[in-house]
Amino acid sequence: MKTIIEPFRIKVVEPIRMTTAEERERILHEAGFNLFLVHADDVLIDLLTDSGTGAMSSEQWAGIMRGDESYAGAKSWFVLQERVQEITGFPHVLPTHQGRASERILFELLGGAGKIVPNNNHFDTTRANIEHTGAQAVDLVIEEGRQPTNRHPFKGNMDLGRLENLIKEAGRDRIPVVMMTITNNSGGGQPVSLENLRAVREICDEHKLPFFLDACRFAENAWFIKQREPGQQDRGVREIVRDVFSLADGATISAKKDGLVNIGGLLLLRDEELVRQADELLILTEGFITYGGLAGRDLEAMAQGLEEVVHEDYLQYRIRSTAYLGERLLAAGIQIVEPPGGHAIYVDARAFCPHVPPERFPGQALVIALYRHAGIRAVEIGSVMFGQGSNTPAMELVRLAIPRRVYTQSHIDYVIEAIIEVHQQRDRIRGLEITWEPPSLRHFTARFREA
Ligand SMILES: *Cc1c(COP(=O)(O)O)cnc(C)c1O
C-alpha cells in the first residue's frame, strides 16, 4: 500500500472558524499587516510555526497528571533527565523554558565583543542572542543551500572550506564555539549529513574549538540521514541520533519542536566548569536546576515527547506529510525550496511575485495575500526577518510550517488549493512598507502599510 496514514486516532477536537473576506480586511489593517499581531481565533489554518503548536499524545497528557510539582528534586525531573541522557548520551542536562533561554545562557558565557560564532545558518533568536553580547554571528552553509532549486540531499551542510578560512582569518581565539543547526531552519528546514557533522568535528578538534548543536529538530534530521545518507538505511533512528549527539560538546534545544511539547527547552553540556557557570545563570533567571522555569508536569510531557519523536512510524508520517504539500505546489508550478524540508515548506516569494521588489518585501506581501484569500497564516523568512541593518538575506521565502500531529490531509489539501488560487491571481499582490519597527527582531512587532 502506498498511502502513509497518520499513525494515531483523534481523541479530542478543537473547532476552527472561517472569517469573511470583509472581516479579514479589517483584521489586516488593525494588525498593521503583521500576522504576528492577529488573534489566533481569526486564523483558519495556522502555519505560522511548528514551535510549541503540536498536539500531545494520551501518554503525554497522562504525564501531565503525574507531574511532580516539588520545588527541588521532583520525580518528574529525574524522569526527564534519564530520558535525555538515554536519547542523547549527554551527561549534563539543564532544563529551560525554551530554546532561546538555553541560547541566552550559553552566549552569556561564551559570547562577547570581538567574538565570532560560525553556524550553517543561525536561527533568528540564536543570532540575536549572539549579537546581544557584542559578538558576530556568521552563516557558512554550503553554496547549494543558498540555491532554491538545487536538490542536494543535505542542503544544511556546513561549507568546510569557508569554516577553515574563517578560523584562519579570524584566529581560533576569537571563535568561542562552532555551531550547527539541525535541521537548518532558516535555510529551508534542510538536513545536515552525519558525514558533514563528522568533518566539522574534525576541524574543531584540529583547532581545539568546542562544537555545539542547535538540535531543535534532531529526530527529523536523523530520519533524513536514514533516508538519504549512504550506509545509514538499515540503522535505527535512535542509533543515528546517538551518533549525532556524540559528536558535539553541547547542544541548545527548543523542546517545542521535536520535544513534542508546547513549552520547554534544554541545554546539554559535557564540560563540568561550563555546567557550573550555566547552573548559576539558570538559577538567576530561569529557576532551580531541577525545573528551569517549567512546571513538573511540563518535564513529564517533554520526557514522553522525546520518546515518541524517535518512533519511526511517526517520523515517516511527519516527513512524508510535509513533502506531500511541497510536491503538490511544485506540480502546480509554484517554486519552493527543493527538496521539501522536514518541518515546513518554503515558498520562493521572489519567483511567486517578481513584480514586488525586495525593498517592498515580497515575502510579507505573499503572507498577507494568503491570509486575505483563505485565512491561512504563514510567516515571512526574508528581508523583514533578516534584512534589518546591513544584512541582505539570500532568499525571500514564505514558510508554511506544519504543526506536529495537528492537521489532517484535507486541511493540507485546502492549503494547496488556496495557494494555487493566489498564484493564479498573483499580479494583484501588493508590496508593503514599514511604518514602525523596533531595534531588533522586527518581524514580531513591526507595522506595515501597502505601498
Ligand atoms: C525555535 C528555534 C530556536 C529557539 O527556540 P525557542 O523555543 O523558540 O526559544 C532556536 N533555533 C532553532 C533552529 C529553532 O527552530
Side-chain angles (χ1 to χ4, degrees):
M1 270 184 274
K2 285 201 283 300
T3 303
I4 293 166
I5 61 168
E6 288 89 353
F8 49 80
R9 297 187 294 188
I10 297 168
K11 189 178 310 217
V12 177
V13 296
E14 184 181 14
I16 50 177
R17 178 180 76 91
M18 188 53 167
T19 45
T20 64
E22 295 73 43
E23 281 175 313
R24 289 196 296 282
E25 208 52 48
R26 177 181 53 74
I27 289 161
L28 280 174
H29 280 87
E30 281 173 8
F33 293 90
N34 184 343
L35 295 192
F36 279 103
L37 304 178
V38 165
H39 292 208
D41 237 10
D42 295 328
V43 175
L44 184 68
I45 308 253
D46 203 346
L47 307 182
L48 181 69
T49 176
D50 65 319
S51 179
T53 53
M56 291 205 295
S57 67
S58 48
E59 276 308 309
Q60 285 179 291
W61 282 108
I64 291 277
M65 290 309 295
R66 275 196 306 271
D68 174 359
E69 305 302 339
S70 305
Y71 188 95
K75 196 167 123 202
S76 303
W77 157 246
F78 293 106
V79 172
L80 174 67
Q81 186 187 39
E82 202 174 302
R83 181 66 42 76
V84 175
Q85 286 170 338
E86 174 212 317
I87 288 175
T88 69
F90 270 96
H92 299 291
V93 181
L94 284 72
T96 59
H97 79 277
Q98 59 186 90
R100 71 195 67 184
S102 306
E103 293 168 355
R104 204 269 304 158
I105 291 169
L106 182 69
F107 292 113
E108 189 165 331
L109 296 173
L110 300 184
K115 301 274 173 68
I116 300 173
V117 180
N119 201 327
N120 44 358
N121 281 116
H122 290 273
F123 184 64
D124 58 353
T125 61
T126 322
R127 172 178 292 280
N129 271 293
I130 290 168
E131 290 175 351
H132 186 69
T133 71
Q136 194 189 339
V138 180
D139 292 342
L140 300 178
V141 74
I142 54 170
E143 200 45 46
E144 291 89 335
R146 300 171 196 265
Q147 301 161 352
T149 57
N150 194 309
R151 291 192 75 102
H152 189 289
F154 292 102
K155 289 174 82 172
N157 282 357
M158 182 84 92
D159 186 325
L160 303 170
R162 291 182 69 204
L163 177 62
E164 293 264 31
N165 282 343
L166 177 80
I167 297 170
K168 256 183 225 126
E169 279 162 26
R172 67 161 293 281
D173 294 342
R174 290 181 63 195
I175 300 172
V177 60
V178 175
M179 297 270 304
M180 281 283 263
T181 306
I182 59 169
T183 57
N184 188 18
N185 187 353
S186 311
Q190 300 291 328
V192 177
S193 72
L194 199 49
E195 184 190 27
N196 190 254
L197 289 163
R198 287 192 175 124
V200 171
R201 174 76 257 178
E202 270 178 38
I203 292 172
C204 288
D205 283 344
E206 201 181 307
H207 299 277
K208 301 207 163 37
L209 292 173
F211 177 37
F212 271 59
L213 297 170
D214 176 343
C216 296
R217 297 177 183 80
F218 69 93
E220 292 176 5
N221 198 75
W223 180 256
F224 280 118
I225 288 174
K226 183 177 165 77
Q227 298 302 301
R228 296 182 183 172
E229 190 154 349
Q232 300 297 321
Q233 279 64 47
D234 298 328
R235 302 185 65 217
V237 162
R238 279 171 199 276
E239 241 183 301
I240 296 172
V241 164
R242 276 296 281 255
D243 272 7
V244 166
F245 279 114
S246 76
L247 294 169
D249 298 300
T252 55
I253 297 181
S254 168
K256 300 170 72 172
K257 287 70 177 252
D258 278 354
L260 298 180
V261 285
N262 305 116
I263 196 72
L266 295 165
L267 176 59
L268 309 181
L269 297 170
R270 293 189 202 283
D271 184 82
E272 306 273 346
E273 177 53 23
L274 204 55
V275 171
R276 203 189 52 70
Q277 294 171 357
D279 277 350
E280 240 174 78
L281 292 179
L282 187 74
I283 293 170
L284 190 66
T285 59
E286 291 283 302
F288 189 58
I289 54 172
T290 62
Y291 73 87
L294 295 167
R297 63 183 79 102
D298 298 326
L299 305 173
E300 282 286 342
M302 200 198 301
Q304 179 62 23
L306 289 168
E307 165 61 33
E308 291 173 12
V309 81
V310 292
H311 290 185
E312 300 196 1
D313 57 352
Y314 162 76
L315 284 167
Q316 181 184 40
Y317 139 77
R318 167 73 179 158
I319 301 303
R320 178 63 208 139
S321 53
T322 306
Y324 173 79
L325 169 59
E327 284 164 11
R328 290 296 194 86
L329 294 181
L330 274 174
I334 295 163
Q335 191 55 58
I336 62 164
V337 173
E338 295 178 67
H343 67 289
I345 293 302
Y346 294 68
V347 177
D348 183 343
R350 230 177 251 165
F352 201 103
C353 28
H355 60 287
V356 180
E359 63 275 16
R360 288 281 178 263
F361 307 117
Q364 188 68 12
L366 175 53
V367 164
I368 296 305
L370 289 180
Y371 180 75
R372 189 174 254 153
H373 184 66
I376 296 165
R377 177 156 69 172
V379 69
E380 191 256 21
I381 304 219
S383 290
V384 177
M385 189 179 275
F386 291 116
Q388 211 166 1
S390 56
N391 256 328
T392 311
M395 298 188 234
E396 300 287 345
L397 303 175
V398 167
R399 185 183 72 183
L400 306 160
I402 318 294
R404 292 169 180 77
R405 307 188 290 201
V406 169
Y407 293 116
T408 63
Q409 186 171 335
S410 58
H411 289 118
I412 298 301
D413 284 331
Y414 169 90
V415 170
I416 292 162
E417 285 167 21
I419 296 174
I420 291 172
E421 284 172 15
V422 170
H423 191 244
Q424 284 160 353
Q425 314 160 15
R426 59 189 178 278
D427 298 347
R428 295 199 213 154
I429 297 175
R430 291 172 63 186
L432 296 151
E433 58 194 23
I434 291 179
T435 59
W436 180 84
E437 62 179 308
S440 73
L441 295 177
R442 67 177 173 186
H443 52 287
F444 290 125
T445 52
R447 298 183 74 88
F448 304 83
R449 70 169 159 245
E450 289 190 297

